[in-house]
Amino acid sequence: MAEEQDAGVSSRTQRKALSKAKILQRESEREVFRLVGRVLKKPESQRSEEEAAALLLHRDTVEELCKRQVRRNVLKRKQEEVFDGVDELKNKVRQLAVAVKQASHLVVYTGAGISTAASIPDYRGPNGVWTQLQKGRAISSSDLSKAEPTLTHMCIKMLHKEKLVKHVVSQNCDGLHLRSGLPRHTLSELHGNMFIEVCTSCSPVREYVRLFDVTERTSLHRHGTGRKCSHCGAELRDTIVHFGERGTLEQPLNWRGATEAAKMADVILCLGSSLKVLKKYTSLWCMNRPASKRPKLYIVNLQWTPKDDLAVLKIHGKCDDVMRLLMEELNLQIPAYNRADDPIFTLATPLQLEEVQSHSREVVAPPNDQNDCSDDPEEQKPTSVQGGWFGRGYGKGRQKKKKVA
C-alpha cells in the first residue's frame, strides 16, 4: 500500500516537473523571439557584435520571423486599394464593352462595393465592417432605409432591359437591386433581403415585403422578427444568411436561378465583390469544366480577389465610375432612380394594427409622403441604426474559434 502511495506521489511530481519544464521552455522561446525581433528591426550597420552573434545562433528563429513578415506584407498589399490611371481605365472599359456586346449569356455577380456610393459600408475595404471588427473598433451606425439604388444598380437594370445581362447574383442584403426595378426572376439575393420576412410554416412559404429593415431583433441562428403570419399565426423570420450559416429559403435567395444562369454563362462580370465568399460556391464557377470551356471572367474591384489570376481582365476602379464609362461605350442612357417607380411600394404588405409598434426602424417613405415616414400615425423619432446582419455572425464565429483554440 505504501509503495502504491509513493508511486502516485512520484508520478504527480514528475507531471508537475514536466509541466513546469514546458512552461519554462515556452518562455525561453518567447524571449528568444523578442530578442531576435528587436535586433532585426535595427539596420545591419547599427547591430553590435553580440546582436550579430545572437542572429547566427538563432537562425531558425530569424527564418521564421522573416517568413511572418513576408506574410504580413502580402496581406497588407492585398488589402490596399489600387486605382487604374485615367487612360488605362478607359482602355480596360473598352475591352469590357466589347465582351458585353459579344456575350450571349452575361451574368453579373455583385458585392458590397456597388452600394458604398449609397453610404452603405462594405465588408473588407479600409473602412469595411470586417476590417473594423478585426481592429477591435466599433462599427459606425448607418440608416439603411435612407439608401437608394446607386448608378451601378440602375446601369445593371438598363443592361438587363437591353437584354445584355441575363441574370444578377448578389451577396447584398440591402434590397437595392429589387428597388432599382430589376425583375425578381432575374435576381438571386444569396444572402437574403433586409426588407423581406417570411412564414416558413405556410406551404408554400409565405412572403411579406416591408418598408423597413426587418432585422432589428435577429442575428446569427436567431431569425424570428417578433411578428406573426396573418394566415397561420406562426412567427415570421427574416431571410438573412449570416456569416457561417447555410441559406435554405427558395426566395429571395433563388439559388436555382443562380446555378442555372452560371451553367449557361459565357461571360461573368464581378462588380464590387472581394469574392472571398462567392469563390466557395463552386456551382457559380463551373470548375468541373476544362479551363477553356469556363465562362470568361471580368472583375471590377479596387482590392485583390482570389479570382484575379483566372480573370480575362481586372479593372481597378470604383463601380460607379466603371459603369458610367461602360454605358458611354455601349451608347446607353443611365436611368435615374425615381422613388415613385420603386417596386417596394407595390410589393409591400402593410403591418397588422397590433404590429405597428413592433419595430423602431425608419420606414421608406413614398414620394408623396416623405415627411411622414412612420407606420404609426403618432410621430416617431427617427433613429440611426445599422443592419441586423452587420458583424453579428462574424463576432460569434470568432468567439467560437477562440474557444476551440
Side-chain angles (χ1 to χ4, degrees):
M1 189 71 177
E3 290 179 359
E4 290 180 1
Q5 288 179 345
D6 290 342
V9 171
S10 176
S11 178
R12 284 194 297 274
T13 303
Q14 288 176 355
R15 286 198 302 271
K16 286 183 178 180
L18 183 61
S19 178
K20 184 177 180 181
K22 287 181 178 179
I23 292 172
L24 292 173
Q25 183 183 356
R26 283 197 298 269
E27 185 55 40
S28 175
E29 290 173 353
R30 289 194 193 101
E31 186 57 39
V32 169
F33 268 85
R34 284 193 286 266
L35 170 63
V36 172
R38 285 196 298 270
V39 175
L40 288 176
K41 287 179 180 178
K42 292 183 179 181
E44 194 170 343
S45 60
Q46 296 180 12
R47 295 171 189 168
S48 66
E49 292 183 4
E50 292 81 2
E51 290 172 337
L55 294 183
L56 289 173
L57 181 62
H58 304 292
R59 289 178 181 175
D60 291 344
T61 304
V62 172
E63 187 177 343
E64 175 60 27
L65 285 174
C66 288
K67 286 180 179 178
R68 291 182 185 181
Q69 186 60 47
V70 169
R71 288 195 294 267
R72 280 195 292 268
N73 290 339
V74 169
L75 180 62
K76 187 176 180 181
R77 283 197 298 272
K78 288 180 177 180
Q79 292 175 336
E80 289 175 351
E81 292 189 339
V82 179
F83 290 84
D84 289 330
V86 175
D87 293 337
E88 184 180 9
L89 184 65
K90 289 182 178 179
N91 181 48
K92 287 183 175 181
V93 172
R94 287 192 198 100
Q95 296 178 54
L96 176 60
V98 172
V100 171
K101 290 176 183 176
Q102 294 179 349
S104 59
H105 201 97
L106 169 62
V107 180
V108 177
Y109 295 172
T110 66
I114 74 165
S115 294
T116 52
S119 299
I120 296 177
D122 59 12
Y123 290 88
R124 293 180 173 86
N127 298 310
V129 175
W130 296 158
T131 306
Q132 296 299 320
L133 288 172
Q134 282 177 335
K135 294 178 180 179
R137 298 174 183 170
I139 308 168
S140 59
S141 60
S142 54
D143 190 346
L144 301 188
S145 67
K146 292 182 179 178
E148 294 182 345
T150 65
L151 180 142
T152 298
H153 289 97
M154 302 311 296
C155 288
I156 293 171
K157 175 201 170 183
M158 176 56 75
L159 289 173
H160 173 262
K161 183 179 179 181
E162 295 294 322
K163 296 181 170 50
L164 293 171
V165 167
K166 304 300 183 184
H167 199 83
V168 177
V169 179
S170 181
Q171 297 171 260
N172 299 341
C173 309
D174 52 36
L176 294 182
H177 277 303
L178 180 64
R179 294 183 59 194
S180 73
L182 193 67
R184 294 201 67 181
H185 69 273
T186 308
L187 176 62
S188 295
E189 295 175 295
L190 301 185
H191 296 162
N193 185 315
M194 74 179 200
F195 292 106
I196 299 175
E197 53 188 350
V198 296
C199 175
T200 53
S201 296
C202 288
S203 182
V205 173
R206 193 174 300 276
E207 187 178 81
Y208 295 83
V209 178
R210 305 298 191 187
L211 295 177
F212 56 89
D213 180 359
V214 303
T215 69
E216 185 174 9
R217 302 181 184 182
T218 66
S219 63
L220 181 69
H221 302 314
R222 289 174 49 225
H223 293 276
T225 64
R227 285 172 288 279
K228 304 292 183 182
C229 175
S230 59
H231 292 264
C232 72
E235 185 179 19
L236 300 180
R237 55 154 291 173
D238 70 9
T239 60
I240 304 301
V241 181
H242 290 272
F243 188 83
E245 293 182 334
R246 184 180 295 275
T248 57
L249 291 172
E250 185 174 338
Q251 290 291 345
L253 280 55
N254 191 15
W255 265 106
R256 180 182 298 177
T259 52
E260 288 179 357
K263 287 177 184 176
M264 298 176 65
D266 59 340
V267 174
I268 293 175
L269 172 59
C270 299
L271 295 170
S273 172
S274 70
L275 300 181
K276 290 182 179 178
V277 174
L278 275 186
K279 73 170 184 178
K280 298 178 182 178
Y281 302 147
T282 54
S283 61
L284 299 181
W285 303 103
C286 305
M287 296 305 289
N288 57 337
R289 299 184 197 169
S292 60
K293 294 186 178 180
R294 294 174 196 159
K296 292 179 181 178
L297 180 60
Y298 293 78
I299 299 174
V300 178
N301 205 56
L302 293 172
Q303 295 175 306
W304 171 90
T305 83
K307 291 286 186 180
D308 284 356
D309 292 339
L310 300 175
V312 174
L313 183 67
K314 171 69 180 292
I315 303 177
H316 298 95
K318 291 186 176 181
C319 293
D320 280 6
D321 295 340
V322 172
M323 294 305 290
R324 185 181 288 106
L325 290 172
L326 177 63
M327 297 298 274
E328 288 178 8
E329 287 292 329
L330 296 173
N331 197 27
L332 293 175
Q333 287 282 96
I334 302 173
Y337 167 72
N338 185 349
R339 184 171 285 218
D341 298 328
D342 194 323
I344 198 168
F345 297 114
T346 54
L347 294 171
T349 303
L351 290 173
Q352 298 181 64
L353 185 61
E354 62 272 18
E355 293 178 331
V356 169
Q357 301 289 344
S358 66
H359 72 97
S360 61
R361 297 295 169 92
E362 192 162 335
V363 176
V364 179
N368 59 347
D369 193 28
Q370 292 191 24
N371 292 326
D372 179 19
C373 54
S374 170
D375 278 327
D376 188 357
E378 296 181 9
E379 185 178 356
Q380 292 183 358
K381 293 182 180 179
T383 55
S384 183
V385 295
Q386 60 195 30
W389 67 91
F390 276 174
R392 294 185 181 177
Y394 174 90
K396 291 192 177 183
R398 284 182 65 84
Q399 289 172 11
K400 288 180 181 178
K401 287 181 181 178
K402 286 180 181 178
K403 289 178 182 177
V404 171

